[in-house]
Amino acid sequence: MDAKAPRAATSRYHEVYAQWQRDPEGFWAEAAREIDWFEPFKKVFDPSMGVYGRWFAGGVLNTCYNALDRHVIGGRGGQAALIYDSPVTGAQASFSYDEMLFEVATLAAILQDFGVGKGDRVIIYMPLVPEAVFAMLACARIGAVHSVVFGGFAAKELAKRIDDAKPKLILSASCGIEPGRIVKYKPLLDEAVAMAEFKPSACIVLQRPQEQAKLDEGRDHDWAALRDAAIAARKSADCVPVLATDPLYILYTSGTTGIPKGVVRDNGGHAVALKWSMKNLYGVDPGEVWWCGSDIGWVVGHSYIVYGPLIHGATSIMYEGKPVGTPDAGAYWRVISQHGAVAFFTAPTAFRAIKKEDPDAKLLPKYDLSKFRTLFLAGERADPPTVEWAEQKLNKPVVDHWWQTETGWCIAGNPVGLGMLPVKHGSATVPMPGWDIRVVDESCREVPNGTIGSIVAKLPMPPGAFPTLWQQDERFREAYLDEFPGYYKTADAGFRDEDGYVHVMGRTDDIINVAGHRLSTGGMEEVLAAHPDVAECAVIGMADSLKGEVPCGFVVMKAGVTRDAAAIEKEIVALVRERIGPVAAFKLAITVPRLPKTRSGKILRGTMKKIADGESWTMPATIEDPKVLEEIGEAVKGRGG
Ligand code: COA
Ligand code: AMP
């Protein structure tokens, strides 16, 4: 199928993809030569291990060694590893590979003093500051398993992750900074620890100048004081060898219920895949400056703020700011130009924000972008108007690429390093080596080109993709493998075109994508249903010109509730913010007399979404009472629908 993709005379994609198809193990064994192993793997892929097999079985390595030590040994010690650029605080800093190694080895020794060892979990609940990256690498250095929790989540979400991961230690900070407001982390942390059944033995808190958190004498420790003491005592931890198949991190992502899924990433496959991607997909060389404008709370931040660029020996920019308002819509151009980034990776929503504020890109000519080569977009569907705008204004290639928390790196993209294929707006281009992508119907039969179906990937998934969910093999099987035997269910719907290009159109489950953030409407419904006046509810993702989608909750009040509907709606909005967090961007609850249902009682969320989006819709044949849809139409009028 992939052989049909349009041929660009200069692209090696077809040759490389065919090489992988002919000999998948040989392909990844070759890629693994780019990683430093303490002991070679015994099998490239062992189908008898784990749920569907494991990559690089028996291999011994350390991810932190590959990200830092080997570059220092190889002569990159003086090169910047991390550039911290924070318009929200006015701070800027640069850490060389030498300096990073020092910080990480010191922090790793501190973690060891707290009894953290191989396999122990550590939760990192931090804003986008260099210490958060040191923390991730320090865990990797001593074989501990980190789990980063995004700062925009509320205490309850953090508590769920504490109970699932059972961390020995939590690393946090006094605050995060959102434009116009300081987000105090410590009260959220305290509330989460109080709420969780599992109690970590200690918390290490980084006091930021913007906010001094009150430390609990027994449990909390001051980050800077521990660092000073460790340096004075010349403490430094060596790399602990781990198996390629040992977990490096757990990253929780939205599932179809309020219980997040603990996506597990291993050490070996992850290092091999990310290293391969930096050159072949992103076209970046070691020593070059790369910028990924995400947050370390998301998979994109894990892979391409931290591990990918560092394992590659590149310089990674970490940006604590927004595309607009910090201070203006020229912020991204400023960062690219000031630090000499050759490539930049962000979510389409960020470009929609810039386009809205500065439609003619008047701020762009102020900056020298001569070193800049490529813009990469992912996290949500890249809408063609936004891609066209970015291409025109930047006069550089804009590459949409598709991936998920579960996959850890790109499933389909346009491989810049192998030579770009022709761009088709609205398509993520072609599968990367390792991904055998099929579009199928409910019976797992392939559908013709151009027909929308479920997108699945033939097992095994490539190195870097998740081997399982944290201590939940059965949930992993049920959620991802059982529906289409022999395949990984991406839960995305889309089609292949006549050239083999992949077009990803939307989810097949209840996940919505809000400003590039993945959220479960099922999780939000659980919160709405918990309001004492609510009898029934349904949450849908409503089209939004900036964020792609925003949640909208329809609620039916319990019989006998006489309180003002507007007041109850306000309480519901506040409840979602309190229970899930501001990141849910839940601002709209609408009271309706009843919900549209099929005769078997299924809520017709798809039709409600079409009504809310103002799209044409057809009356479902199985509807219980057609009048209800008229009521929904009436209710959304003037409410953003
Ligand atoms: N800590 C605490 N709160 C956070 C947060 C964090 N780390 N990140 C976001 N929030 C808050 C925001 O302040 C906002 O709060 P509000 O309701 O009080 O305004 C809320 O969560 C929703 O955030 P968001 O959906 O991001 O909306 P926004 O209006 O603040 O910003 C964009 C919109 C488009 C500018 C922003 O989403 C963005 O820069 N996105 C592109 C990069 C990205 O995040 N990519 C995702 C992974 S690739
Ligand atoms: P996350 O796990 O948060 O990275 O979100 C993954 C989901 O975002 C995918 O399952 C898709 O629904 C969506 N997504 C990510 N990248 C793209 C893309 N390039 N095109 C379309 N959808 C995307």
Side-chain angles (χ1 to χ4, degrees):
M1 222 179 330
D2 306 291
K4 282 199 213 148
R7 288 181 181 268
T10 48
S11 181
R12 288 175 52 234
Y13 167 75
H14 298 91
E15 173 198 328
V16 172
Y17 192 83
Q19 195 188 333
W20 165 74
Q21 280 177 312
R22 272 195 307 276
D23 179 13
E25 292 192 17
F27 181 92
W28 291 116
E30 182 62 31
R33 290 159 64 97
E34 293 282 316
I35 293 302
D36 284 19
W37 299 87
F38 295 150
E39 282 176 41
F41 40 89
K42 297 188 175 54
K43 280 189 171 173
V44 183
F45 182 73
D46 184 345
S48 70
M49 278 181 81
V51 182
Y52 65 88
R54 300 299 303 267
W55 288 99
F56 307 115
V60 178
L61 78 163
N62 182 282
T63 296
C64 180
Y65 181 88
N66 277 281
L68 298 178
D69 302 60
R70 67 164 174 169
H71 300 310
V72 170
I73 294 164
R76 288 193 188 280
Q79 179 196 313
L82 189 72
I83 294 171
Y84 168 59
D85 185 310
S86 169
V88 291
T89 61
Q92 292 218 357
S94 174
F95 298 86
S96 66
Y97 272 97
D98 271 337
E99 288 163 338
M100 283 276 278
L101 181 54
F102 175 80
E103 294 295 340
V104 169
T106 306
L107 182 56
I110 295 170
L111 300 187
Q112 282 178 331
D113 282 351
F114 278 92
V116 176
K118 200 170 173 169
D120 289 333
R121 273 81 58 214
V122 174
I123 279 188
I124 300 172
Y125 182 57
M126 294 184 72
L128 218 50
V129 291
E131 285 82 355
V133 178
F134 304 159
M136 291 166 76
L137 291 166
C139 289
R141 191 168 189 83
I142 58 173
V145 181
H146 63 69
S147 187
V148 182
V149 179
F150 179 62
F153 281 121
K156 190 152 197 283
E157 289 294 318
L158 177 58
K160 285 180 193 170
R161 288 151 175 79
I162 295 173
D163 276 334
D164 197 70
K166 301 188 173 41
K168 207 167 228 179
L169 202 63
I170 298 184
L171 301 181
S172 191
S174 56
C175 66
I177 295 144
E178 284 295 288
R181 101 188 131 97
I182 287 186
V183 182
K184 293 182 186 177
Y185 276 38
K186 191 58 190 353
L188 296 171
L189 173 64
D190 290 344
E191 207 184 325
V193 172
M195 234 184 266
E197 275 174 37
F198 180 86
K199 306 291 176 199
S201 52
C203 299
I204 302 179
V205 181
L206 178 77
Q207 298 280 19
R208 300 188 75 185
Q210 295 76 12
E211 165 72 17
Q212 282 293 303
K214 197 176 159 297
L215 301 187
D216 175 312
E217 275 215 358
R219 189 199 66 197
D220 298 337
H221 301 265
D222 179 73
W223 190 304
L226 291 171
R227 178 179 176 273
D228 288 347
I231 292 172
R234 295 181 183 277
K235 285 188 178 170
S236 175
D238 284 337
C239 289
V240 172
V242 298
L243 286 171
T245 46
D246 281 340
L248 169 68
Y249 70 76
I250 308 166
L251 180 58
Y252 289 89
T253 190
S254 298
T256 48
T257 66
I259 309 293
K261 290 168 169 166
V263 167
V264 173
R265 194 82 54 216
D266 65 12
N267 277 275
H270 174 248
V272 171
L274 293 192
K275 174 72 177 130
W276 186 89
S277 72
M278 285 303 298
K279 176 68 190 163
N280 295 290
L281 171 58
Y282 297 108
V284 170
D285 283 322
E288 289 191 315
V289 181
W290 154 265
W291 179 23
C292 171
S294 182
D295 187 287
I296 50 144
W298 310 116
V299 67
V300 171
H302 277 64
S303 294
Y304 293 110
I305 295 175
V306 185
Y307 289 111
L310 296 182
I311 288 171
H312 196 47
T315 298
S316 180
I317 300 174
M318 180 186 210
Y319 174 73
E320 191 184 25
K322 301 272 174 182
V324 293
T326 58
D328 57 29
Y332 277 9
W333 323 137
R334 196 266 303 157
V335 174
I336 293 172
S337 135
Q338 185 176 342
H339 305 298
V342 298
F344 174 43
F345 176 174
T346 187
T349 189
F351 267 74
R352 288 198 295 271
I354 297 170
K355 186 171 126 194
K356 194 171 160 201
E357 196 120 332
D358 183 16
D360 298 324
K362 289 208 175 89
L363 295 170
L364 185 58
K366 275 174 69 182
Y367 302 97
D368 171 14
L369 265 57
S370 54
K371 287 192 180 157
F372 183 62
R373 298 195 293 259
T374 330
L375 171 68
F376 293 91
L377 298 176
E380 57 174 326
R381 183 160 189 272
D383 52 299
T386 303
V387 176
E388 278 160 26
W389 184 85
E391 278 173 346
Q392 271 177 14
K393 301 299 175 207
L394 287 168
N395 201 18
K396 300 277 156 87
V398 177
V399 174
D400 176 20
H401 62 320
W402 167 54
W403 51 304
Q404 307 178 313
T405 305
E406 287 86 344
T407 67
W409 66 291
C410 173
I411 311 169
N414 201 334
V416 172
L418 296 176
M420 272 186 80
L421 296 170
V423 172
K424 288 194 196 184
H425 293 160
S427 169
T429 319
V430 288
M432 289 296 101
W435 292 104
D436 179 352
I437 292 299
R438 315 280 174 96
V439 181
V440 299
D441 63 17
E442 314 80 69
S443 317
C444 204
R445 277 187 307 246
E446 279 189 61
V447 298
N449 285 340
T451 306
I452 292 195
S454 293
I455 313 182
V456 298
K458 196 162 189 306
L459 292 174
M461 283 182 274
F466 69 146
T468 192
L469 294 175
W470 179 246
Q471 296 188 329
Q472 285 193 316
D473 286 352
E474 209 33 57
R475 187 175 180 199
F476 172 75
R477 280 194 197 91
E478 275 169 27
Y480 299 105
L481 306 187
D482 284 355
E483 194 172 331
F484 303 105
Y487 295 89
Y488 161 67
K489 176 176 94 171
T490 66
D492 276 316
F495 63 94
R496 299 290 293 260
D497 67 17
E498 66 286 359
D499 295 317
Y501 276 41
V502 180
H503 299 247
V504 183
M505 307 307 289
R507 297 282 301 193
T508 60
D509 56 12
D510 74 341
I511 301 290
I512 57 170
N513 204 309
V514 182
H517 306 140
R518 173 170 159 177
L519 297 159
S520 157
T521 53
M524 291 186 218
E525 286 178 5
E526 284 176 23
V527 177
L528 267 52
H531 188 284
D533 293 338
V534 170
E536 270 198 298
C537 64
V539 175
I540 57 156
M542 204 162 71
D544 182 84
S545 61
L546 175 64
K547 298 190 180 189
E549 278 181 306
V550 286
C552 168
F554 292 88
V555 285
V556 178
M557 297 301 164
K558 283 182 183 157
V561 172
T562 52
R563 295 175 55 219
D564 178 34
I568 300 175
E569 288 169 1
K570 238 173 139 182
E571 286 167 17
I572 288 168
V573 167
L575 200 62
V576 176
R577 195 176 174 94
E578 180 201 314
R579 299 265 172 99
I580 298 178
V583 68
F586 185 91
K587 311 252 157 131
L588 188 58
I590 302 178
T591 312
V592 288
R594 33 196 192 150
L595 294 173
K597 289 183 188 167
T598 62
R599 283 190 283 273
S600 59
K602 254 184 113 181
I603 297 173
L604 290 159
R605 292 182 180 79
T607 316
M608 290 168 77
K609 176 175 167 50
K610 285 200 170 127
I611 294 173
D613 289 350
E615 280 181 24
S616 62
W617 53 278
T618 44
M619 185 66 69
T622 53
I623 192 158
E624 189 188 35
D625 180 354
K627 274 216 193 93
V628 188
L629 289 174
E630 280 171 33
E631 291 167 11
I632 296 289
E634 280 304 309
V636 296
K637 264 190 205 147
R639 301 289 303 270

